[in-house]
Amino acid sequence: MLKALKNPFLALLAMLAFGAIVNVAFNSFIQLMLVIILINMILAMSLNLVNGYTGQFSLGHAGFMAVGAYASAYLSTQMPLLPQPFEIFSFLLYALVGGCLAAAAGFVVGLPSLRLKGDYLAIVTLGFGEIIRVVLQSTPAVGGARGMFGIPGPSEPKFIAGYIHASIWVIITFFVIWRVVKSTHGRAFLSVREDEIAAEAMGINTTKAKVRAFVLSSFFAGIAGSIFAHFTNYLNPSSFSFARSVDSVIMVVLGGMGSMSGAILAAIFITVMPEALRPLQELTGVDLRMVIYALSLILLMILRPKGLFGNKEITDYVRKKSS
Amino acid sequence: MSAKNLLEVQKITMQFGGLKAVDSLEFHIKEGELMGLIGPNGAGKTTVFNMLTGVYQPTSGQVVFAGMPLKGLKPFQISHLGMTRTFQNIRLFKELSVLENVLIAGAQHLTYGLGAAVMQNSLFLKEEKSLREQAMHLLKIFNLEGKAHAPSMALPYGEQRKLEIVRALATKPQLICLDEPAAGMNHQETHNLMDLIAKIRKEFNLTVLLIEHDMKLVMGICERIMVLDHGIKIEEGTPQVIQNSAKVIEAYLGVDDEDNTAEVH
Ligand SMILES: Nc1ncnc2c1ncn2[C@@H]1O[C@H](COP(=O)(O)OP(=O)(O)OP(=O)(O)O)[C@@H](O)[C@H]1O
Ligand SMILES: [Mg+2]
């Protein structure tokens, strides 16, 4: 298990094995949830890079997801899919293009706002998210407010093909971010969070560090958008509302700022929780979901104010026990 | 000793609203020199450091380091040129380990990029390894290698001050500006620290600018001292000159000489 965490290919194999089990053992609703969880994991891990590791505050993750989703979806309507079994490469390519466009948007939004001291990033990203949504709503080429239909998705078996695509990106996201933050360039991101003045005095170009973190984060948000687009085959601007950005922030805060394990677990929790509470709603006839959801978040923040993991990782605990 | 000026400060003034924290200050430091900067509380010593290292841009005047005018340069660029500092109020990367604090300061000497970090190629592995070895070497000099993996905020106060110096050394500076490195240390620790400063000065060919409250201490190790009072240089010279200066004695008697370590600058 620990070895798999060091090797991306082993980790991917483990995920695929898990997918194969889910494919035969669970119904299509659970399968759908699983892919949504993977998408949310990518969102949480990537936002964690900015809000957790670098100590900035972005509130527009959904905007970058939208850029990736729509770019990827539009591209896929313009060029045919490769025939099976190479179809997956088409989706990887669409995602890559979507990610790059989201990264470019991240650069344009990030550079001016990250150069300034203070919380400009929160305001600018919030505005960006809303602008993107309004622009998409009024762009007929991508369906406008009605949404974009008939986006090509993986052919049958739909779950397993979509799951493989999402898993590949989850692994890439995890290892890229993990290896970056464990390198000395990545530690520079952390030094920005800890003390910007000291970081500058020690030779860290803090603006560059922040922009790098932000662009990388936007890239993966775009990837998440692309996976979402091709798995649901339908996009609507309202899917990328402010609420989705807030959801991503909650995942990061809940998991612990600067913890990969935290982001991953929080993504699972935040995705599953509202669904798990659905039977309660049917039972009582009132929508208690959001109440309980909010209460449990508040409770968690009281009990563990630094998030589930703080800035630690699961492996830190495993190691402590074994040594 | 070479007679080249490493640092030339030309009539720098720092105005905060109506207050002239530093007023037309002029001085220079020769390569390899250990120069002291003393003065009562609020004299403007830390403000001088902030102007040298780019935290503040002087209201007027300019700083030339190694032949380069520093006007408009950001702190990180000045660090890349070879001037670094420690902070009077300790600004470590608190949640990071002792070793990480030192590694980060060495980041400017890396040649690999983010791509190499993701692929973990041989250049990345080689540079990270040598960076780590250099960091451990520095920590060893200051007797901190045993605590390399402890969070830096868990260190006792005196060791945090030492780590500030180690971190600054990891940038491989020519000139290091130490802002009250012995503040809050007892006599023994202070003595020990001064020996260390003498040692690293030799080992790394350093030029040092030292702010210190403790007159005796500064007199002991500095070759040249300048005295600041209310932002104005009132005296400069060898320890003997300073000791016998009426102006200096007056400035120090005029205010109570209590240590003010709580000052946040
Ligand atoms: N950013 C600032 N804004 C306004 N005033 C400032 C600022 N920084 C310093 N000062 C003022 O400038 C004067 C000099 O401060 P400085 O910190 O340089 O003194 P110092 O010699 O380092 O004192 P100490 O020995 O207490 O550290 C003080 O009166 C201080 O209040
Ligand atoms: Mg001071």
Side-chain angles (χ1 to χ4, degrees):
Chain A
M1 182 67 194
L2 280 179
K3 206 164 182 189
L5 284 174
K6 294 226 167 78
N7 187 326
F9 297 102
L10 284 181
L12 184 61
L13 275 182
M15 279 191 75
L16 294 185
F18 179 71
I21 296 171
V22 173
N23 189 36
V24 292
F26 292 98
N27 62 28
S28 61
F29 176 70
I30 302 273
Q31 293 175 352
L32 171 76
M33 287 288 292
L34 185 58
V35 175
I36 301 291
I37 286 174
L38 296 184
I39 291 170
N40 281 340
M41 279 181 185
I42 296 177
L43 287 175
M45 286 190 281
S46 58
L47 188 65
N48 194 19
L49 190 59
V50 172
N51 289 28
Y53 287 110
T54 317
Q56 307 301 302
F57 199 76
S58 167
L59 258 180
H61 220 42
F64 298 104
M65 186 186 178
V67 171
Y70 273 91
S72 169
Y74 185 75
L75 181 66
S76 69
T77 59
Q78 300 300 307
M79 59 185 276
L81 280 171
L82 290 169
Q84 285 285 23
F86 303 111
E87 191 188 80
I88 180 106
F89 292 109
S90 288
F91 289 110
L92 289 173
L93 175 71
Y94 301 152
L96 207 57
V97 172
C100 287
L101 274 173
F107 184 76
V108 171
V109 170
L111 189 63
S113 38
L114 289 165
R115 286 172 65 158
L116 304 168
K117 301 246 181 309
D119 291 326
Y120 292 95
L121 188 68
I123 299 159
V124 173
T125 48
L126 193 151
F128 170 77
E130 292 306 294
I131 290 169
I132 284 291
R133 205 162 51 81
V134 172
V135 167
L136 290 173
Q137 259 166 9
S138 44
T139 308
V142 291
R146 271 187 317 121
M148 192 170 175
F149 294 88
I151 299 165
S155 31
E156 297 298 326
K158 188 171 159 56
F159 162 70
I160 205 69
Y163 177 86
I164 291 172
H165 183 217
S167 296
I168 290 174
W169 282 114
V170 166
I171 295 295
I172 292 176
T173 309
F174 177 85
F175 278 92
V176 167
I177 294 179
W178 180 255
R179 287 179 170 186
V180 164
V181 297
K182 291 295 164 192
S183 77
T184 296
H185 284 311
R187 291 191 190 101
F189 297 176
L190 293 152
S191 76
V192 172
R193 173 188 79 193
E194 294 294 310
D195 191 324
E196 226 175 303
I197 291 183
E200 281 266 335
M202 295 306 121
I204 302 299
N205 182 346
T206 55
T207 303
K208 187 172 164 191
K210 286 187 271 187
V211 171
R212 279 178 151 189
F214 193 69
V215 168
L216 198 56
S217 168
S218 306
F219 172 80
F220 285 117
I223 297 286
S226 165
I227 299 168
F228 180 78
H230 298 292
F231 193 72
T232 58
N233 312 113
Y234 167 70
L235 287 178
N236 187 307
S238 60
S239 306
F240 305 103
S241 63
F242 181 58
R244 190 182 281 275
S245 291
V246 172
D247 262 0
S248 308
V249 172
I250 291 176
M251 288 181 219
V252 173
V253 175
L254 186 69
M257 309 280 239
S259 167
M260 292 292 267
S261 331
I264 290 168
L265 281 189
I268 298 173
F269 181 79
I270 295 290
T271 320
V272 170
M273 181 83 156
E275 297 307 325
L277 289 174
R278 205 181 282 280
L280 196 79
Q281 177 190 5
E282 278 150 21
L283 205 71
T284 57
V286 247
D287 193 358
L288 279 174
R289 268 189 318 146
M290 283 303 143
V291 178
I292 292 181
Y293 180 69
L295 276 180
S296 59
L297 283 182
I298 293 170
L299 203 67
L300 231 146
M301 289 331 284
I302 292 172
L303 295 175
R304 294 196 71 96
K306 288 194 152 181
L308 285 171
F309 285 85
N311 56 8
K312 299 238 171 2
E313 299 294 347
I314 288 186
T315 47
D316 295 338
Y317 295 98
V318 176
R319 239 177 256 143
K320 237 169 239 164
K321 257 183 217 153
S322 63
S323 64
Chain B
M1 201 167 282
S2 132
K4 233 172 84 192
N5 283 349
L6 183 59
L7 182 77
E8 278 175 45
V9 173
Q10 300 163 356
K11 279 196 176 293
I12 51 170
T13 297
M14 189 74 229
Q15 186 118 23
F16 295 118
L19 174 79
K20 266 190 182 158
V22 175
D23 192 355
S24 313
L25 178 68
E26 270 195 294
F27 70 95
H28 65 270
I29 305 180
K30 292 199 170 78
E31 237 167 61
E33 221 178 356
L34 199 170
M35 184 165 189
L37 171 55
I38 63 172
N41 283 142
K45 305 180 295 290
T46 300
T47 305
V48 172
F49 272 23
N50 283 336
M51 284 191 283
L52 296 184
T53 55
V55 178
Y56 299 151
Q57 289 293 329
T59 317
S60 65
Q62 72 162 347
V63 180
V64 179
F65 176 73
M68 272 279 276
L70 301 186
K71 202 174 196 103
L73 292 188
K74 294 198 167 153
F76 81 87
Q77 293 169 313
I78 294 174
S79 164
H80 291 192
L81 288 177
M83 177 171 10
T84 189
R85 70 178 294 182
T86 63
F87 293 91
Q88 181 179 358
N89 56 321
I90 302 186
R91 282 176 168 269
L92 292 171
F93 307 128
K94 287 199 193 76
E95 301 225 346
L96 307 186
S97 75
V98 168
L99 178 62
E100 282 172 320
N101 268 270
V102 185
L103 291 174
I104 286 164
Q108 56 181 280
H109 301 292
L110 296 172
T111 63
Y112 76 78
L114 280 186
V118 171
M119 301 317 294
Q120 303 199 329
N121 66 14
S122 58
L123 179 69
F124 163 84
L125 294 172
K126 196 182 101 201
E127 290 195 355
E128 284 281 337
K129 184 162 169 266
S130 97
L131 196 65
R132 201 167 279 259
E133 283 165 1
Q134 290 168 34
M136 288 309 283
H137 173 68
L138 289 173
L139 286 170
K140 203 162 183 174
I141 296 175
F142 283 77
N143 229 336
L144 288 170
E145 84 275 21
K147 297 193 173 172
H149 298 289
S152 63
M153 63 180 170
L155 294 183
Y157 192 74
E159 290 186 342
Q160 292 196 13
R161 287 225 174 269
K162 283 187 182 173
L163 180 55
E164 277 258 348
I165 301 177
V166 174
R167 187 178 65 172
L169 286 175
T171 65
K172 300 189 180 165
Q174 283 180 274
L175 172 63
I176 184 167
C177 303
L178 303 172
D179 198 344
E180 302 200 20
M185 289 187 179
N186 64 29
H187 188 73
Q188 180 60 43
E189 287 173 318
T190 306
H191 209 78
N192 178 276
L193 182 71
M194 290 306 137
D195 287 346
L196 278 172
I197 291 176
K199 185 177 167 191
I200 55 164
R201 197 183 148 204
K202 270 214 194 96
E203 180 167 347
F204 300 105
N205 250 327
L206 279 177
T207 308
V208 182
L209 176 58
L210 172 71
I211 294 183
E212 197 36 81
H213 244 75
D214 189 335
M215 280 274 252
K216 244 193 248 155
L217 193 154
V218 182
M219 298 290 171
I221 69 167
C222 293
E223 285 132 17
R224 210 150 53 88
I225 297 170
M226 80 183 142
V227 188
L228 219 56
D229 188 26
H230 292 108
I232 296 169
K233 181 164 83 178
I234 57 169
E235 195 68 272
E236 182 183 325
T238 59
Q240 270 107 333
V241 172
I242 302 298
Q243 234 155 358
N244 300 320
S245 160
K247 280 185 261 175
V248 175
I249 293 165
E250 197 189 297
Y252 268 84
L253 288 181
V255 290
D256 63 339
D257 194 16
E258 255 173 81
D259 245 17
N260 184 0
T261 47
E263 180 103 3
V264 183
H265 285 298

